[in-house]
Amino acid sequence: MPSMSFIERDGTRRTVDAPIGLSVLEIAHKHGIDIEGACEGSLACSTCHVIVDPDWYARLAQASEDEEDMLDLAFGLEKTSRLGCQIVMSPALDGLVVRLPAGVRNAQFG
């Protein structure tokens, strides 16, 4: 089974099983990683914001315009920021590394 690593807010690295077809948000929830996902992956908030390791960023599909709009609301936006609900695991992403931002901003639900 593929795996991926989360770098948590305190710097701890957690490597977890990452089933193909699940989003990074779903994988985080499955393993108790602290990502909110207030809209449950419906692309209506930015609370699943993650920062993709630069070595992995170019391997991802390009962000949609809707994802870019939601990212504009994200706290601590960086060049390799993405929404975890929009990154779906595939064999090509085995080993993916993402970092959790220092905080989240939830204008819609908060």
Side-chain angles (χ1 to χ4, degrees):
M1 173 175 299
S3 66
M4 67 168 293
S5 295
F6 290 90
I7 309 299
E8 298 191 69
R9 289 178 181 85
D10 66 2
T12 302
R13 183 185 187 107
R14 285 191 51 198
T15 301
V16 299
D17 289 339
I20 292 171
L22 291 186
S23 71
V24 167
L25 174 63
E26 292 168 317
I27 294 164
H29 285 172
K30 177 179 171 144
H31 294 286
I33 305 289
D34 186 24
I35 296 179
E36 184 177 348
C39 74
E40 299 179 358
S42 65
L43 200 52
C45 74
S46 64
T47 62
C48 66
H49 168 220
V50 295
I51 300 150
V52 178
D53 183 280
D55 292 338
W56 286 95
Y57 187 76
R59 300 181 199 191
L60 302 178
Q62 188 171 4
S64 68
E65 188 174 325
D66 288 340
E67 181 181 358
E68 292 286 350
D69 289 345
M70 286 294 107
L71 280 168
D72 286 342
L73 305 174
F75 178 84
L77 192 64
E78 295 189 18
K79 188 175 182 177
T80 61
S81 289
R82 293 293 301 267
L83 296 180
C85 68
Q86 298 301 295
I87 302 171
V88 177
M89 281 305 293
S90 68
L93 294 180
D94 186 13
L96 175 68
V97 178
V98 301
R99 178 170 46 90
L100 304 184
V104 297
R105 177 182 299 135
N106 189 348
Q108 176 136 359
F109 295 94

